[in-house]
Amino acid sequence: MQLADLSWEQCAEYLARDNRIILPLGATEQHGRHLGLGADFLIAQELARRIGAQTNVLVAPTLNYGMSHFHLEFPGTVSLAPTTLSAVLQDIFQSLYRHGFRRVFVVNGHGGNHPSLQSAANVIQNQFPDLRVKFFEWWLDGEITRLVDETLGTQQGTHASNHETALMLAVAPQSVHTARIAKRDAPVLPAREFDSPARFREKFPDGVMGLDPSPATVELGERILEKSAALGILEMENW
Amino acid sequence: MQLADLSWEQCAEYLARDNRIILPLGATEQHGRHLGLGADFLIAQELARRIGAQTNVLVAPTLNYGMSHFHLEFPGTVSLAPTTLSAVLQDIFQSLYRHGFRRVFVVNGHGGNHPSLQSAANVIQNQFPDLRVKFFEWWLDGEITRLVDETLGTQQGTHASNHETALMLAVAPQSVHTARIAKRDAPVLPAREFDSPARFREKFPDGVMGLDPSPATVELGERILEKSAALGILEMENW
Amino acid sequence: MQLADLSWEQCAEYLARDNRIILPLGATEQHGRHLGLGADFLIAQELARRIGAQTNVLVAPTLNYGMSHFHLEFPGTVSLAPTTLSAVLQDIFQSLYRHGFRRVFVVNGHGGNHPSLQSAANVIQNQFPDLRVKFFEWWLDGEITRLVDETLGTQQGTHASNHETALMLAVAPQSVHTARIAKRDAPVLPAREFDSPARFREKFPDGVMGLDPSPATVELGERILEKSAALGILEMENW
Amino acid sequence: MQLADLSWEQCAEYLARDNRIILPLGATEQHGRHLGLGADFLIAQELARRIGAQTNVLVAPTLNYGMSHFHLEFPGTVSLAPTTLSAVLQDIFQSLYRHGFRRVFVVNGHGGNHPSLQSAANVIQNQFPDLRVKFFEWWLDGEITRLVDETLGTQQGTHASNHETALMLAVAPQSVHTARIAKRDAPVLPAREFDSPARFREKFPDGVMGLDPSPATVELGERILEKSAALGILEMENW
Amino acid sequence: MQLADLSWEQCAEYLARDNRIILPLGATEQHGRHLGLGADFLIAQELARRIGAQTNVLVAPTLNYGMSHFHLEFPGTVSLAPTTLSAVLQDIFQSLYRHGFRRVFVVNGHGGNHPSLQSAANVIQNQFPDLRVKFFEWWLDGEITRLVDETLGTQQGTHASNHETALMLAVAPQSVHTARIAKRDAPVLPAREFDSPARFREKFPDGVMGLDPSPATVELGERILEKSAALGILEMENW
Amino acid sequence: MQLADLSWEQCAEYLARDNRIILPLGATEQHGRHLGLGADFLIAQELARRIGAQTNVLVAPTLNYGMSHFHLEFPGTVSLAPTTLSAVLQDIFQSLYRHGFRRVFVVNGHGGNHPSLQSAANVIQNQFPDLRVKFFEWWLDGEITRLVDETLGTQQGTHASNHETALMLAVAPQSVHTARIAKRDAPVLPAREFDSPARFREKFPDGVMGLDPSPATVELGERILEKSAALGILEMENW
């Protein structure tokens, strides 16, 4: 059930029986030489759709732009400033609260959005103490890590690496340009330093952080999606 | 060609030959008892897609949220504050400019976005004098008005009335809930007064401004789309 | 009756019998080689004065600065950023509301202020649902257009062209420097593109948009003033 | 010479020979039961006019609204938030700088504007090191104090008290409602505590701070104006 | 009693018997070639400590950064923008108010903070009418001036001059680098002009405003501290 | 070496040989019934001092206030809004950059500051590509976890639990009120939900997250400090 397809009257009917909503957050940012710039919002949207379909919870329209400052040296990346993204999220939370939504399940497809999301939640929950905001980020769960390790032998990739490539093969094959895969590993450094866009590009000239993404398969992508959606469904049902 | 599906490398290749991009703006707001809340972004997205397809100009991801304060009394409406929307647009323009885009063709699906768009353009163009921003709003053109008049006998509807319903029949039939159409005309007052959300709902209890939307047909919708896209293509080609 | 001349006690007495106030908005921006930079606020102030005099509605002090970014390449133009102007207007509305004013009739002398005005009204009316804000812009009315057409044969001027020159001859003759009139027509393009200050000046090197302003007369100016004030009085009385 | 009356071409001619401008700042705020709410901007405007006339320095349009939060419990007071006023001043300074003005002489008619003015100057001068901003506040000068003491025997008034009443008799007699003068002294406390609007009104129920304003005369007002303008002219000439 | 050392339970116990708190404000800015950059916060902290110790009023942690834009040309100066400092103070006031504090005694060690402090107080007191904010600035009191005059023969120093040097000898001798004292007087101009960082440094190349600071002694510093604390205690007790 | 104790001249001398600086960030927030509200800034300050002492890197004054919204239901907590804290950090980074500092080592004592720190770093590094910002948070390191586990048998505490209590015994014994320790374990939930202040207090009525803090000892605190400082020194030396 997509909020976009419901009329206000139907939305009012939904609110009479449930106060939850799923909000998919994405980004428009580089994902290597081989993945489309929409990867993060396409994945978040698909996960949100699956969780919503199974739990009968309404899914809000996807936010297609996020906070991607460190990717700005790569053509096509479009980034909101952290304060802008926080303002957007606060406005969305406030509108939802006004109508009676009380639990927002944020399916976040991009790690760079997290600080702005947390800031927005801190502010809005100080204002509306009974508004609950959960966040769901597929890469955080140990089960996903194990699944990739079992399948590929190892899992060290983060951005645009093997698991994101697998996911995209399952979600949006038209956005995976296999011939352009840069077949080389990139370091995944412990992130104790914030990088400027210029230094980021210098460190990761292909835009990939982590392992060579070529072993990724559509089957692995589908399995990650399934497992991740299952985790999300569980979290939603136990809420 | 969707920016979402291109990798940064492909985007760089595009920028080597063109500096235009299409940006569809929408809203998540009530459109009567019968149309989905996503009407504005669904229509803008479809128009952008058609104009892009014909002109080979890249289409950026759609902004699914807009400035819809006056609709906030209707459940499901999600509105960004005017300053938030302006900040989002400035950030988007700035990112695009950084990569070399110089002409942004904004396909705006929602009139309420216009002040924030104009404000953002005024600020960003003061900063980057060679950035050109055009806006395209399908309802502004006399040809569209004439087309609807010829077809339906009269055309006085604005929000969620006959022509938007026709467009939605063509663009997103799953979002048109025909059985819920409130078959009564609403006044279209000369807009010399800004309305609070409460007064707006009082004036337009169904959420429709203008004529009874029931005569709308998918054929009319398709013809509006076609004509409007043709106008957009013309503007783009003469740029 | 000017708010500036009333003491707080007299203002309290007025509020006991009326909750309306007139707010004139202007700008300090170029108006061709021949008109003073204060044209917009001088005209708005005079219209506000006439409407107030006839309706016994209080007139607030004029805001002499507005949003004039596109004129910034012309010496003397002083422009507030759109967000600044919106903040100013929100603060003014909030102060007026606190004292009991409930209907604000904005006599706006400058089109560039409109987006910020609309944004401010949208925000403040969401906060105070019973605050009503009307806007009055003299150039919007068909009767004015007809009057100028009848008098000058044609009316295609907008900024600093024949009708603004006529108005200034009637309102502030010391600000009309007839000898400097640049006697040539400038195009009035359909405004589908926002212009940077630099492009604006390139398109309109004299600063005039539209017809050669030299046929303007003080009589025409006086007639526009009269007719426009009459329209404003009517709107006020029917409120 | 008023900027409002000059065309952009005349302003360009002025800038070829001088880079100074006078900016009058006022407020719309209560001034006792007897003085018009415009007192501060009317006085600043008149002083600016006199200083400009004598020195041939251009005078910008007056800012009629200022920071008057502590007077908000008195009907008719319209106050900008401190950040709003600072933003307005920064925008004005920035526009003036762009055209070539390098010395701005701020004739401030209202003490409450000072913090925002100082903040704006600190920020803008950090950005444009060669922009010079002077402030002129008539009540700061010892000569004015002495003049009032000599004339009235004592001078302890500040807001809306004897000297402001005298000034208004000279500047805007239509704004002085003598019959309403509240003939009682109010304390002028050493201002070591910031007052909320409510506490301010409790302390000063008439809105006057200081001595009974009834001894004020138009002659005294004219002498203060003259002396103050002379001081301003001196400051300007020695700049 | 330092808030930093109390647990929330102890703070709740304090609030049951008192609603006052002392807030020391400082700055990190140049103080001549001889004084440490922390002079302003070290002095404010010590004064706050003494006043708190005598009156049993709780002392909040010191704000070590302030508004020091005009000193930015001197290495080591760290300045908050005026709006940032105002926001910090508003947030602090708001938190304190929430817990039940109603009287905040601001011991301000740096004049440049005053505009932001006043702005913050104006805004917050408009929001919470029963929140009282006093400010205490040691250099404002005539008794301190007299004390220095009696001791040193004259007192004309302001920033980093004789009395601040004396205070630092008493408060933080490790921050006084006597050998580096620049033994020359600097003018103390009547401050009618705001200075850019560059002009400030040009006028005061040592960073000292006023008299040669070398005659300062630790005894004088201790006497100023004592007298100033006594004044603060008096103000606190009469509140 | 503390920046506070250096004069600008000494700071300039330091900058001639090094471009690093340590910035300690803290908070003023509840830490259970037994720890002082200043725990976070006291610990950060001590760690910064040790790292600075060993590496000869300058230490900036501590920021004593942070983002502590979720603790606001506990008396004494003083919280900056996330945008305020980001603005403060951006201003600090900008000032430091201006003087020539190029590497800022942020010793952050409070997890709640992280989103604002990351946001500020993202913005400022986009502006100044050669500014490097590292963050050091003592609780992130596996060695610290192991050390506590070895000593106490288990380590599951986070906020105000055993290890923070141990640290405070070593750093600021006057802030540890042993008699008030609430001897009971609190859950440490996987933090997938942002909590409003009210829900946070409901979940953690003592303010402690994690294990009963009573087994903490000053020896353990001193060992954590030592090991953590050693890690920080290593990071600094390898930079």
Side-chain angles (χ1 to χ4, degrees):
Chain A
M1 247 184 337
Q2 300 293 318
L3 181 65
D5 290 334
L6 262 53
S7 78
W8 67 261
E9 202 174 51
Q10 291 170 308
C11 180
E13 289 160 15
Y14 174 88
L15 279 160
R17 60 178 193 270
D18 205 337
N19 66 11
R20 293 172 298 173
I21 193 163
I22 299 170
L23 175 65
L25 299 190
T28 295
E29 70 173 34
Q30 72 86 10
H31 275 77
R33 298 181 193 275
H34 65 298
L35 294 182
L37 290 141
D40 286 344
F41 74 77
L42 291 165
I43 293 168
Q45 192 161 273
E46 175 60 15
L47 274 172
R49 194 191 62 72
R50 292 186 180 209
I51 297 169
Q54 195 68 26
T55 57
N56 285 319
V57 174
L58 205 50
V59 180
T62 304
L63 188 63
N64 294 329
Y65 296 97
M67 211 309 294
S68 307
H69 268 33
F70 20 85
H71 296 294
L72 275 168
E73 277 298 306
F74 292 91
T77 299
V78 177
S79 179
L80 305 184
T83 46
T84 304
L85 180 54
S86 268
V88 167
L89 292 168
Q90 285 179 48
D91 289 353
I92 292 176
F93 290 145
Q94 192 155 29
S95 292
L96 294 174
Y97 187 86
R98 177 173 182 151
H99 300 310
F101 292 102
R102 287 297 174 269
R103 287 174 290 166
V104 186
F105 191 87
V106 180
V107 176
N108 180 22
H110 170 51
N113 293 342
H114 196 90
S116 301
L117 171 60
Q118 182 165 345
S119 298
N122 286 330
V123 170
I124 209 79
Q125 292 184 318
N126 195 27
Q127 197 176 350
F128 306 124
D130 59 336
L131 178 66
R132 300 179 63 179
V133 181
K134 247 188 176 163
F135 61 97
F136 182 77
E137 292 165 340
W138 61 264
W139 60 88
L140 287 184
D141 204 276
E143 291 196 41
I144 302 298
T145 313
R146 272 190 298 281
L147 172 63
V148 182
D149 284 354
E150 282 162 21
T151 313
L152 297 183
T154 180
Q155 191 271 355
Q156 290 276 348
T158 62
H159 185 75
S161 175
N162 38 31
H163 51 16
E164 260 187 343
T165 302
L167 280 166
M168 284 297 282
L169 283 167
V171 167
Q174 84 283 4
S175 290
V176 188
H177 309 285
T178 319
R180 291 178 183 257
I181 289 183
K183 299 187 182 186
R184 50 174 161 171
D185 294 354
V188 177
L189 310 166
R192 294 241 166 146
E193 183 164 354
F194 305 110
D195 280 319
S196 70
R199 281 180 59 80
F200 186 94
R201 179 148 187 184
E202 205 181 306
K203 277 193 196 162
F204 307 103
D206 298 323
V208 176
M209 299 170 81
L211 294 189
D212 164 9
S214 52
T217 62
V218 63
E219 290 74 27
L220 174 61
E222 183 51 47
R223 287 182 63 199
I224 300 177
L225 270 183
E226 214 172 288
K227 179 149 297 207
S228 192
L231 290 165
I233 290 160
L234 204 70
E235 292 244 6
M236 183 71 87
E237 282 171 349
N238 292 335
W239 207 7
Chain B
M1 247 186 336
Q2 301 292 320
L3 182 64
D5 289 333
L6 262 53
S7 77
W8 67 261
E9 202 174 50
Q10 291 170 308
C11 180
E13 288 160 15
Y14 174 87
L15 279 160
R17 61 178 192 269
D18 205 335
N19 66 11
R20 293 173 298 171
I21 193 162
I22 299 171
L23 175 65
L25 299 190
T28 295
E29 70 173 33
Q30 73 86 9
H31 275 78
R33 298 180 192 275
H34 65 297
L35 293 182
L37 290 141
D40 286 344
F41 74 75
L42 291 165
I43 293 169
Q45 191 161 273
E46 174 60 16
L47 275 171
R49 194 190 61 73
R50 292 186 182 210
I51 298 169
Q54 195 67 27
T55 57
N56 285 320
V57 174
L58 204 50
V59 180
T62 305
L63 188 63
N64 294 329
Y65 296 96
M67 210 309 294
S68 307
H69 268 33
F70 21 85
H71 296 294
L72 274 169
E73 277 299 305
F74 292 91
T77 300
V78 177
S79 178
L80 306 184
T83 45
T84 305
L85 180 54
S86 267
V88 167
L89 292 168
Q90 285 179 48
D91 289 353
I92 292 176
F93 290 145
Q94 192 155 31
S95 293
L96 294 175
Y97 186 86
R98 177 172 183 152
H99 301 310
F101 292 102
R102 287 296 174 271
R103 286 174 290 166
V104 186
F105 191 87
V106 180
V107 176
N108 180 21
H110 169 52
N113 293 343
H114 195 91
S116 301
L117 171 60
Q118 182 164 346
S119 298
N122 286 330
V123 170
I124 209 78
Q125 292 184 318
N126 194 27
Q127 197 176 351
F128 305 123
D130 60 336
L131 177 66
R132 300 180 61 179
V133 181
K134 247 190 177 163
F135 60 97
F136 182 76
E137 293 166 339
W138 60 265
W139 59 89
L140 287 185
D141 204 278
E143 289 196 41
I144 303 297
T145 311
R146 272 191 299 282
L147 172 64
V148 182
D149 283 355
E150 282 161 20
T151 314
L152 297 183
T154 180
Q155 191 271 356
Q156 289 276 350
T158 61
H159 186 75
S161 175
N162 39 30
H163 52 14
E164 260 188 342
T165 302
L167 280 166
M168 284 298 281
L169 283 167
V171 168
Q174 83 283 5
S175 288
V176 188
H177 310 285
T178 320
R180 291 178 182 259
I181 288 183
K183 297 187 182 185
R184 52 174 161 170
D185 293 354
V188 177
L189 311 166
R192 294 241 167 146
E193 183 165 356
F194 305 109
D195 281 318
S196 70
R199 281 180 60 80
F200 186 94
R201 179 147 188 184
E202 205 181 307
K203 277 192 195 163
F204 307 103
D206 297 323
V208 176
M209 300 171 80
L211 294 190
D212 165 8
S214 51
T217 61
V218 62
E219 290 74 27
L220 175 59
E222 183 52 44
R223 288 182 62 200
I224 300 178
L225 271 182
E226 215 170 288
K227 180 149 296 204
S228 192
L231 290 166
I233 290 160
L234 204 69
E235 293 245 6
M236 183 70 87
E237 282 172 349
N238 293 335
W239 206 9
Chain C
M1 248 184 339
Q2 301 291 319
L3 181 65
D5 289 334
L6 262 53
S7 78
W8 67 261
E9 202 173 51
Q10 291 170 310
C11 180
E13 288 160 15
Y14 173 87
L15 278 160
R17 61 178 193 271
D18 206 335
N19 66 10
R20 292 174 298 173
I21 193 162
I22 299 170
L23 175 65
L25 299 190
T28 295
E29 70 173 35
Q30 73 86 10
H31 275 77
R33 299 181 192 274
H34 65 297
L35 293 182
L37 290 142
D40 286 344
F41 75 76
L42 291 165
I43 293 168
Q45 190 161 274
E46 175 60 15
L47 274 172
R49 196 192 60 72
R50 292 187 181 209
I51 297 169
Q54 196 67 27
T55 57
N56 286 320
V57 174
L58 204 51
V59 180
T62 304
L63 188 64
N64 294 329
Y65 296 96
M67 209 309 293
S68 307
H69 269 32
F70 21 85
H71 295 294
L72 275 169
E73 277 298 306
F74 291 91
T77 299
V78 178
S79 179
L80 306 184
T83 46
T84 305
L85 180 54
S86 267
V88 167
L89 292 168
Q90 285 179 47
D91 289 354
I92 292 176
F93 289 145
Q94 191 155 30
S95 293
L96 293 174
Y97 186 86
R98 178 173 182 151
H99 300 311
F101 291 102
R102 288 296 174 270
R103 286 174 290 166
V104 185
F105 191 87
V106 179
V107 176
N108 180 22
H110 169 52
N113 293 341
H114 196 89
S116 300
L117 171 59
Q118 182 166 342
S119 298
N122 286 330
V123 170
I124 209 80
Q125 292 184 318
N126 195 26
Q127 197 176 351
F128 305 124
D130 59 336
L131 177 66
R132 300 179 62 179
V133 181
K134 247 188 177 164
F135 60 95
F136 182 77
E137 292 166 340
W138 61 264
W139 59 88
L140 287 185
D141 204 277
E143 290 196 41
I144 303 298
T145 312
R146 273 191 297 282
L147 172 63
V148 181
D149 283 354
E150 282 162 20
T151 314
L152 297 184
T154 180
Q155 191 273 356
Q156 291 274 348
T158 62
H159 185 76
S161 175
N162 39 31
H163 51 17
E164 260 187 343
T165 302
L167 280 165
M168 283 299 281
L169 284 166
V171 167
Q174 85 283 3
S175 290
V176 189
H177 310 285
T178 320
R180 290 178 183 258
I181 289 183
K183 299 187 182 186
R184 50 173 161 171
D185 295 352
V188 177
L189 310 167
R192 295 241 166 146
E193 183 165 354
F194 305 110
D195 281 319
S196 70
R199 282 181 58 80
F200 186 94
R201 181 148 187 184
E202 205 181 307
K203 278 192 196 163
F204 307 103
D206 298 322
V208 176
M209 300 170 80
L211 294 190
D212 165 9
S214 52
T217 62
V218 63
E219 290 74 26
L220 174 60
E222 183 52 46
R223 287 183 62 199
I224 299 178
L225 270 182
E226 216 171 285
K227 178 149 297 207
S228 191
L231 290 166
I233 290 160
L234 204 70
E235 292 244 6
M236 182 71 88
E237 281 171 348
N238 292 335
W239 205 8
Chain D
M1 245 183 342
Q2 301 292 319
L3 181 65
D5 289 335
L6 261 54
S7 77
W8 67 261
E9 202 173 51
Q10 291 171 308
C11 179
E13 288 160 16
Y14 174 88
L15 278 159
R17 62 178 192 270
D18 205 336
N19 66 11
R20 292 174 299 171
I21 193 163
I22 299 171
L23 175 64
L25 298 190
T28 296
E29 69 172 35
Q30 73 86 10
H31 275 78
R33 299 181 192 276
H34 65 297
L35 293 182
L37 289 141
D40 286 345
F41 75 76
L42 292 164
I43 293 168
Q45 191 161 272
E46 175 59 16
L47 274 172
R49 195 191 61 73
R50 291 185 182 211
I51 297 169
Q54 196 67 27
T55 57
N56 286 318
V57 174
L58 205 50
V59 180
T62 304
L63 187 63
N64 294 329
Y65 296 96
M67 210 308 294
S68 307
H69 269 33
F70 21 84
H71 295 295
L72 274 170
E73 277 299 305
F74 292 91
T77 299
V78 177
S79 179
L80 306 184
T83 45
T84 305
L85 180 53
S86 267
V88 167
L89 292 168
Q90 285 179 48
D91 289 352
I92 292 176
F93 290 145
Q94 191 154 31
S95 293
L96 294 175
Y97 186 86
R98 178 173 182 151
H99 301 309
F101 292 102
R102 288 296 176 270
R103 285 175 291 165
V104 186
F105 191 87
V106 180
V107 175
N108 180 21
H110 170 52
N113 293 342
H114 195 90
S116 301
L117 171 59
Q118 182 165 344
S119 298
N122 286 330
V123 170
I124 209 79
Q125 291 184 319
N126 195 26
Q127 197 176 350
F128 305 124
D130 60 335
L131 177 66
R132 300 180 62 178
V133 181
K134 248 189 176 164
F135 61 97
F136 181 78
E137 293 166 339
W138 60 265
W139 60 88
L140 286 185
D141 204 276
E143 290 196 40
I144 303 298
T145 312
R146 274 191 298 281
L147 172 64
V148 182
D149 284 354
E150 281 162 21
T151 313
L152 297 184
T154 179
Q155 190 272 355
Q156 291 275 350
T158 61
H159 186 75
S161 174
N162 40 32
H163 51 15
E164 259 187 343
T165 302
L167 279 166
M168 284 297 282
L169 284 166
V171 168
Q174 84 283 3
S175 289
V176 188
H177 310 285
T178 321
R180 291 178 182 259
I181 288 183
K183 298 187 181 184
R184 51 174 162 170
D185 293 355
V188 177
L189 310 166
R192 293 242 168 145
E193 183 164 353
F194 304 110
D195 281 319
S196 70
R199 281 180 59 80
F200 186 95
R201 181 148 187 184
E202 205 181 306
K203 277 192 195 164
F204 307 103
D206 298 324
V208 175
M209 300 170 80
L211 294 190
D212 165 9
S214 52
T217 62
V218 62
E219 290 75 25
L220 174 60
E222 184 51 47
R223 288 182 61 200
I224 300 177
L225 270 183
E226 215 171 286
K227 179 151 297 209
S228 191
L231 290 165
I233 290 159
L234 205 70
E235 292 245 6
M236 183 71 87
E237 282 172 347
N238 293 335
W239 205 8
Chain E
M1 247 184 339
Q2 301 292 319
L3 181 65
D5 289 334
L6 262 54
S7 77
W8 67 261
E9 202 173 51
Q10 291 170 309
C11 179
E13 288 161 14
Y14 174 88
L15 278 160
R17 62 178 193 270
D18 205 337
N19 67 10
R20 292 173 299 173
I21 193 162
I22 298 171
L23 175 64
L25 299 190
T28 295
E29 69 173 35
Q30 73 86 11
H31 275 77
R33 297 181 192 276
H34 65 297
L35 293 182
L37 289 142
D40 286 344
F41 75 75
L42 291 165
I43 293 169
Q45 191 162 274
E46 174 61 15
L47 274 171
R49 195 191 61 73
R50 291 186 183 211
I51 297 170
Q54 195 69 27
T55 57
N56 286 318
V57 174
L58 205 51
V59 180
T62 305
L63 188 63
N64 293 330
Y65 296 96
M67 210 309 293
S68 307
H69 268 33
F70 20 86
H71 295 295
L72 275 169
E73 278 298 306
F74 292 91
T77 299
V78 177
S79 179
L80 306 184
T83 45
T84 304
L85 180 54
S86 267
V88 167
L89 292 168
Q90 285 179 47
D91 289 353
I92 292 176
F93 290 146
Q94 191 154 30
S95 293
L96 294 174
Y97 187 86
R98 177 173 183 151
H99 301 309
F101 292 102
R102 288 295 175 270
R103 286 173 291 166
V104 186
F105 191 88
V106 179
V107 176
N108 180 21
H110 170 52
N113 293 341
H114 196 90
S116 301
L117 171 60
Q118 182 164 344
S119 297
N122 286 330
V123 170
I124 209 79
Q125 292 184 316
N126 195 27
Q127 197 177 350
F128 306 123
D130 59 336
L131 178 66
R132 300 179 62 179
V133 181
K134 248 187 177 163
F135 61 97
F136 181 78
E137 293 167 339
W138 60 264
W139 59 89
L140 287 184
D141 205 276
E143 290 196 42
I144 302 298
T145 313
R146 272 191 298 282
L147 172 64
V148 181
D149 284 354
E150 282 163 20
T151 314
L152 298 183
T154 180
Q155 191 273 355
Q156 290 275 348
T158 62
H159 185 76
S161 175
N162 39 32
H163 50 17
E164 259 187 343
T165 302
L167 279 166
M168 283 298 282
L169 283 166
V171 168
Q174 84 283 4
S175 290
V176 189
H177 310 285
T178 319
R180 291 177 183 259
I181 288 183
K183 299 188 181 183
R184 51 173 162 172
D185 294 353
V188 177
L189 310 166
R192 295 240 166 147
E193 184 164 354
F194 304 109
D195 280 319
S196 71
R199 281 179 59 80
F200 186 95
R201 180 149 187 182
E202 206 181 307
K203 277 192 194 164
F204 308 103
D206 298 322
V208 176
M209 300 170 80
L211 293 190
D212 164 8
S214 52
T217 61
V218 61
E219 290 75 27
L220 174 61
E222 183 52 45
R223 287 182 63 199
I224 299 177
L225 269 182
E226 214 171 288
K227 179 151 296 209
S228 191
L231 290 165
I233 290 159
L234 204 71
E235 292 245 7
M236 183 71 87
E237 281 170 350
N238 293 334
W239 205 9
Chain F
M1 246 183 338
Q2 301 292 318
L3 181 64
D5 289 334
L6 261 54
S7 78
W8 67 261
E9 202 173 51
Q10 291 170 309
C11 179
E13 289 160 15
Y14 173 87
L15 279 160
R17 61 177 192 270
D18 205 336
N19 66 10
R20 292 173 300 171
I21 193 163
I22 298 171
L23 175 65
L25 298 191
T28 296
E29 70 173 33
Q30 73 86 11
H31 275 78
R33 298 180 192 274
H34 65 297
L35 293 182
L37 290 142
D40 286 345
F41 75 75
L42 291 164
I43 294 168
Q45 190 162 273
E46 175 60 16
L47 274 172
R49 195 191 61 72
R50 291 186 182 210
I51 298 169
Q54 196 67 26
T55 57
N56 286 320
V57 174
L58 204 50
V59 180
T62 304
L63 187 63
N64 293 329
Y65 296 97
M67 210 307 295
S68 307
H69 268 33
F70 21 85
H71 295 295
L72 275 169
E73 277 300 304
F74 291 90
T77 299
V78 177
S79 178
L80 305 184
T83 45
T84 305
L85 179 54
S86 267
V88 167
L89 292 168
Q90 284 179 48
D91 289 354
I92 293 175
F93 290 145
Q94 191 155 31
S95 293
L96 294 174
Y97 186 87
R98 177 172 182 152
H99 301 310
F101 291 103
R102 288 295 176 270
R103 286 174 290 166
V104 185
F105 191 87
V106 179
V107 175
N108 180 22
H110 169 53
N113 294 341
H114 196 90
S116 300
L117 171 60
Q118 182 165 345
S119 298
N122 287 329
V123 170
I124 209 79
Q125 292 184 319
N126 195 26
Q127 197 176 352
F128 305 123
D130 60 335
L131 178 66
R132 300 179 62 178
V133 180
K134 248 190 176 162
F135 61 96
F136 182 77
E137 293 166 340
W138 61 264
W139 59 89
L140 287 185
D141 204 277
E143 290 197 40
I144 303 298
T145 312
R146 273 191 297 282
L147 172 64
V148 182
D149 283 355
E150 282 162 21
T151 315
L152 298 184
T154 180
Q155 189 271 357
Q156 291 275 349
T158 61
H159 185 76
S161 175
N162 38 31
H163 52 15
E164 260 187 341
T165 303
L167 280 166
M168 284 298 282
L169 283 167
V171 168
Q174 84 282 3
S175 289
V176 189
H177 310 284
T178 320
R180 290 177 183 259
I181 288 183
K183 298 186 182 186
R184 51 175 162 170
D185 293 354
V188 177
L189 310 167
R192 294 242 167 144
E193 185 165 354
F194 304 109
D195 281 318
S196 69
R199 281 179 60 81
F200 185 94
R201 181 150 186 182
E202 207 181 304
K203 278 192 194 163
F204 307 102
D206 297 323
V208 176
M209 299 170 80
L211 294 190
D212 165 10
S214 52
T217 61
V218 61
E219 290 75 25
L220 175 60
E222 183 51 46
R223 288 182 62 200
I224 300 177
L225 271 182
E226 215 171 286
K227 177 149 300 208
S228 191
L231 291 165
I233 290 159
L234 205 69
E235 292 244 5
M236 183 71 87
E237 282 171 348
N238 293 334
W239 205 8

